[in-house]
Amino acid sequence: MASVMDKIKAKTAELKTQQNEPKQELEQTYISHVNYEEFGVVENEIKVKLINCEKKAVHHANQMSKSIMELSKVFYEAQRLLSNHAGGTFKKWFEELGFKKDFVYMCLKRNDLFLEVADDRVFQIPERAIKTISKIKDKIDIEEVKEIILSLIHISEPTRHA
């Protein structure tokens, strides 16, 4: 079984490789659904530049979601591995890596919710929603939790891709 640091190094190498690959996929699959005329933007040159910014923003937001998912899994595994060690070892471990407590524990909440609902869209919803769902999930049916997550995805992510 690979160590956490080996996995982090492997993921870093994978991300570096992805950065060096051509971005043809991004260019071919993205279609803007923003009506720039509603914003008073009528100049074609500006629209083209805004659509390029839009593509980049959506692409990087998707990458962030994937990274949060991977970090959540890493923190979950590390917490499990360190659970039998002296008190505070996990906290010392992630702080040594430069992570903040609030961020790490939000990742753990997301991962716990993901393990319960088996839907990776958990990694796309806002932190406030994760906190609220975490508080009420034991009081409602798991199907209701899934419906809440689905509705949050539809609210927070308007149609952006074809």
Side-chain angles (χ1 to χ4, degrees):
M1 179 176 232
S3 73
V4 173
M5 288 309 294
D6 290 338
K7 288 182 180 183
I8 291 172
K9 288 177 185 176
K11 188 64 181 173
T12 301
E14 178 186 331
L15 290 172
K16 285 181 182 178
T17 302
Q18 288 175 357
Q19 288 175 345
N20 294 329
E21 292 175 356
K23 296 183 181 175
Q24 292 175 349
E25 181 182 321
L26 179 64
E27 297 296 325
Q28 293 173 356
T29 60
Y30 187 81
I31 296 174
S32 174
H33 295 282
V34 175
N35 181 355
Y36 286 102
E37 285 81 15
E38 287 181 9
F39 301 124
V41 178
V42 293
E43 304 86 359
N44 198 40
E45 183 180 322
I46 294 175
K47 283 185 202 177
V48 169
K49 289 179 180 179
L50 285 170
I51 290 171
N52 190 41
C53 289
E54 184 184 338
K55 285 189 287 193
K56 289 177 184 177
V58 169
H59 171 75
H60 290 294
N62 289 336
Q63 290 299 94
M64 281 178 29
S65 178
K66 289 176 188 175
S67 294
I68 294 293
M69 182 187 313
E70 292 303 320
L71 278 170
S72 296
K73 291 175 185 177
V74 168
F75 292 139
Y76 175 80
E77 180 182 356
Q79 184 183 45
R80 187 179 56 78
L81 292 169
L82 293 170
S83 64
N84 292 330
H85 291 76
T89 305
F90 175 63
K91 183 176 185 258
K92 291 173 189 171
W93 176 81
F94 67 71
E95 286 178 342
E96 185 72 24
L97 295 174
F99 292 100
K100 301 288 184 201
K101 179 182 170 187
D102 289 344
F103 175 76
V104 171
Y105 283 96
M106 179 54 63
C107 286
L108 290 170
K109 281 182 184 181
R110 284 183 190 278
N111 196 69
D112 287 344
L113 190 56
F114 168 73
L115 292 174
E116 288 187 42
V117 300
D119 189 336
D120 62 4
R121 292 178 286 196
V122 164
F123 298 98
Q124 299 171 4
I125 60 177
E127 285 185 16
R128 179 175 278 160
I130 293 293
K131 289 177 184 176
T132 302
I133 292 169
S134 294
K135 288 178 185 175
I136 65 167
K137 69 181 173 143
D138 296 332
K139 298 174 182 132
I140 61 175
D141 183 58
I142 195 70
E143 291 304 316
E144 289 178 288
V145 173
K146 289 178 181 180
E147 287 178 29
I148 291 168
I149 292 168
L150 185 60
S151 69
L152 288 167
I153 294 302
H154 290 297
I155 291 169
S156 66
E157 186 178 277
T159 305
R160 296 179 181 170
H161 300 280

